[in-house]
């Protein structure tokens, strides 16, 4: 049976790669719906090529002119269109590949409609972890994030054995070898220069600050029902080991591969089957050496903040995520130095971490308060 897939965020880095793997396997998958935020030109091109029945431009409140040859597709507009598409698209699967907490309501809507969610959009799970997991019985939420896909793949061989520890690998980003003072004043261009992965702007900045790994610690907690102390971050600059799990007998099972998001994207779509991705293969002889280091908590306070937020529970992780989103975009806009990002997140956590996160309303409130604190700090910086 061909699986119908709705792609939320089809014009982004993950969305475009998802389309490429779908086009490689037309006998297995077809696209039921596509969404972009602002990039109408690329969305139109994708609709023309893939012929979904439903599409949305979520960043446009007003309808825009649709090219005459796309009349077979119904277009929706505005932020609510993301949830509408998640709920109403035909087919079994929704690939959540938008960036930021904007994906949360759409993921919940997809589950209300009984769709399987393929999750790249980690911010959704960070902000709404407990609520999202309650809506996702086993098999209805598959990870796309490469580390979490790796852990999921390693656990396929575990039988009834529960793992003891998750070894969550991290490239360390472009500032791994820099000292703390130099990191503080890093430029946007330097922060966007990721050594091993080519990704959207927000996750690239998050990788440089290691807030990406902070978000991934929280994501791993929810996906694999882990206690915080069971998750160990391992810096591995080559990005070949995508993560590993350790069992009671000391055995460690890891998943290795070339750094290529098409592998985890396609695995989520085709699970439990494995299909060719058209990407380059791992050549261990060419890689030669794999190295592993402990993360430096002084240079990258984000990691510690994630553990603290997890232990605190409630809306702490939601607050961490919201403040980080604001700080990340303020840095990209040249409004704050790089070193302010963790300080802004810490200030938001200090003020709002004890809020509850039982419902979407709770999460909306914590998210809004964290953003307000972050925005005030950013404004002061520029006054
Ligand atoms: P991109 O910035 O490349 O793409 C984001 C997509 O979401 C685009 O289609 C964009 O539309 C759309 N979008 C942006 N803002 C909104 C919004 N407010 N509401 C609805 N749609 C929006 O991001 P990535 O593809 O890099 O990342 C997507 C998600 O996947 C993130 O959560 C990221 O953390 C995660 N991820 C990404 C990886 C990667 O390799 N890129 C790896 C692992 C996880 P438009 O183009 O019109 O702006
Ligand atoms: Mg990742």
């Amino acid at each position: 049976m061909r699986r119908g897939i709705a792609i939320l965020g089809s014009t982004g880095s993950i969305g475009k790669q998802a389309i490429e793997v779908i086009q490689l396997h037309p006998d297995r998958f077809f696209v039921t719906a596509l969404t972009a935020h602002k990039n109408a030109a690329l969305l139109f091109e994708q609709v023309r090529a893939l012929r979904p029945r439903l599409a949305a431009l979520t960043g446009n409140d007003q309808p825009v002119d649709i090219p005459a040859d796309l009349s077979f597709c119904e277009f929706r507009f505005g932020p609510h269109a993301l949830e509408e598409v998640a709920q109403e698209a035909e087919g079994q699967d929704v690939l959540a590949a938008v960036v930021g907490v904007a994906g949360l309501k759409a993921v919940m809507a997809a589950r209300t409609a009984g769709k399987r969610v393929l999750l790249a959009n980690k911010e959704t799970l960070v902000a709404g972890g407990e609520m999202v997991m309650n809506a996702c019985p086993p098999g209805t939420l598959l990870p796309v994030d490469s580390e979490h896909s790796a852990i999921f793949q390693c656990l396929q061989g575990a039988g009834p054995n529960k793992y003891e520890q998750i070894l969550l690998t991290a490239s360390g980003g472009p500032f791994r070898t820099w000292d703390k003072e130099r990191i503080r004043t890093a430029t946007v261009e330097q922060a966007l220069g990721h050594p091993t992965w080519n990704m959207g702007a927000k996750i690239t900045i998050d990788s440089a600050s290691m807030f990406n790994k902070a978000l991934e610690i929280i994501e791993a907690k929810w996906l694999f029902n882990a206690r915080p102390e069971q998750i160990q971050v391992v810096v591995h600059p080559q990005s070949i080991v995508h993560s590993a799990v350790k069992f009671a007998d000391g055995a460690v099972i890891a998943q290795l591969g070339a750094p290529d998001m098409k592998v985890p994207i396609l695995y989520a779509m085709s699970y439990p089957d494995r299909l060719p991705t058209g990407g380059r293969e791992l050549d261990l002889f060419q890689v030669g050496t794999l190295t592993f280091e402990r993360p430096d908590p002084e240079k990258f306070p984000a990691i510690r903040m994630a553990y603290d937020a997890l232990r605190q529970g409630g809306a702490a992780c939601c607050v961490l995520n919201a403040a980080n989103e604001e700080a990340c975009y303020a840095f990209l806009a040249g409004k704050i130095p790089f070193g302010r990002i963790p300080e802004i997140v810490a200030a938001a956590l200090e003020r709002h971490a004890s809020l509850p996160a039982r419902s979407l309303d709770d999460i909306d409130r914590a998210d809004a308060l964290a953003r307000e604190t972050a925005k005030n700090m950013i404004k002061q910086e520029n006054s």
Side-chain angles (χ1 to χ4, degrees):
M1 184 189 64
R2 291 204 313 160
R3 289 193 84 91
I5 304 179
I7 306 179
L8 310 182
S10 62
T11 49
S13 159
I14 294 287
K16 287 190 276 194
Q17 294 179 83
I19 289 175
E20 282 179 45
V21 293
I22 288 173
Q23 286 177 320
L24 265 185
H25 298 286
D27 54 323
R28 296 289 301 260
F29 312 111
F30 66 103
V31 169
T32 60
L34 296 170
T35 81
H37 199 52
K38 295 251 162 141
N39 192 346
L42 181 55
L43 180 70
F44 292 156
E45 221 178 274
Q46 293 177 338
V47 169
R48 195 166 283 124
L50 296 154
R51 307 192 72 78
R53 298 254 291 272
L54 191 57
L57 261 179
T58 51
N60 280 60
D61 278 324
Q62 299 302 322
V64 300
D65 287 339
I66 306 298
D69 65 322
L70 303 184
S71 59
F72 60 86
C73 179
E74 181 189 343
F75 280 81
R76 308 268 179 101
F77 301 91
H80 293 298
L82 199 67
E83 290 154 66
E84 292 167 18
V85 168
Q87 194 149 7
E88 294 173 34
E90 301 164 71
Q92 306 89 335
D93 293 348
V94 171
L95 171 62
V98 301
V99 59
V101 78
L104 175 60
K105 287 178 185 148
V107 165
M108 294 303 287
R111 287 300 308 137
T112 302
K115 305 266 169 55
R116 191 174 76 156
V117 174
L118 318 179
L119 188 78
N121 177 222
K122 65 191 86 181
E123 295 91 342
T124 276
L125 211 44
V126 172
E130 189 170 2
M131 193 184 62
V132 173
M133 292 317 291
N134 284 340
C136 293
T140 59
L141 179 67
L142 295 185
V144 170
D145 207 349
S146 60
E147 295 79 358
H148 304 75
S149 173
I151 296 160
F152 180 62
Q153 293 177 53
C154 295
L155 291 174
Q156 300 302 311
N161 296 297
K162 176 98 174 94
Y163 63 85
E164 296 262 295
Q165 194 180 31
I166 288 173
L167 300 167
L168 185 72
T169 53
S171 72
F175 306 144
R176 181 178 60 91
T177 59
W178 291 27
D179 64 38
K180 203 176 164 188
E181 271 321 295
R182 196 170 162 216
I183 294 173
R184 276 198 70 76
T185 55
T187 65
V188 170
E189 199 188 354
Q190 287 166 332
L192 284 175
H194 197 278
T196 47
W197 295 98
N198 185 9
M199 312 174 285
K202 196 234 166 202
I203 185 173
T204 305
I205 299 302
D206 283 348
S207 299
S209 64
M210 292 203 75
F211 267 102
N212 182 48
K213 214 45 58 179
L215 302 180
E216 290 185 356
I217 291 168
I218 300 164
E219 186 185 11
K221 180 240 148 53
W222 290 115
L223 283 172
F224 306 110
N225 192 22
R227 295 188 307 278
E229 58 277 15
Q230 283 181 297
I231 306 169
Q232 172 66 56
V233 174
V234 179
V235 176
H236 166 50
Q238 297 83 18
S239 299
I240 298 295
V241 176
H242 297 306
S243 279
V245 289
K246 191 162 93 185
F247 292 92
D249 57 358
V252 174
I253 299 186
Q255 188 254 332
L256 282 69
D260 181 354
M261 283 308 297
K262 285 184 190 157
V263 177
I265 293 169
L266 184 53
Y267 188 65
M269 290 178 185
S270 65
Y271 172 80
D273 296 349
R274 289 183 182 274
L275 300 173
T277 66
R280 70 194 158 94
E281 279 176 24
L282 176 63
D283 180 346
L284 282 176
F285 300 111
Q286 204 186 355
V287 173
T289 309
L290 300 176
T291 61
F292 304 95
E293 304 161 15
R294 281 186 191 280
D296 183 335
E298 281 300 306
K299 289 194 327 196
F300 301 106
I303 305 279
R304 181 184 36 76
M305 285 186 212
Y307 287 110
D308 288 350
L310 270 183
R311 292 199 176 98
Q312 199 150 1
C317 294
C318 167
V319 167
L320 176 147
N321 176 67
N324 178 56
E325 284 190 26
E326 291 297 328
C328 177
Y329 289 114
F331 169 70
L332 276 169
K335 291 183 183 164
I336 55 166
F338 192 74
R340 281 301 265 165
I341 297 174
E343 293 169 5
I344 288 171
V345 177
L349 280 167
E350 175 97 34
R351 292 189 60 170
H352 309 296
S354 55
L355 290 166
R358 283 182 213 106
S359 63
L360 265 177
D361 283 349
D362 284 351
I363 291 165
D364 273 347
R365 179 154 177 272
D367 181 275
L369 287 170
R371 282 176 203 273
E372 195 182 293
T373 297
K375 280 183 185 154
N376 284 337
M377 288 180 75
I378 293 159
K379 215 190 287 168
Q380 275 165 20
E381 196 94 17
N382 290 279
S383 60

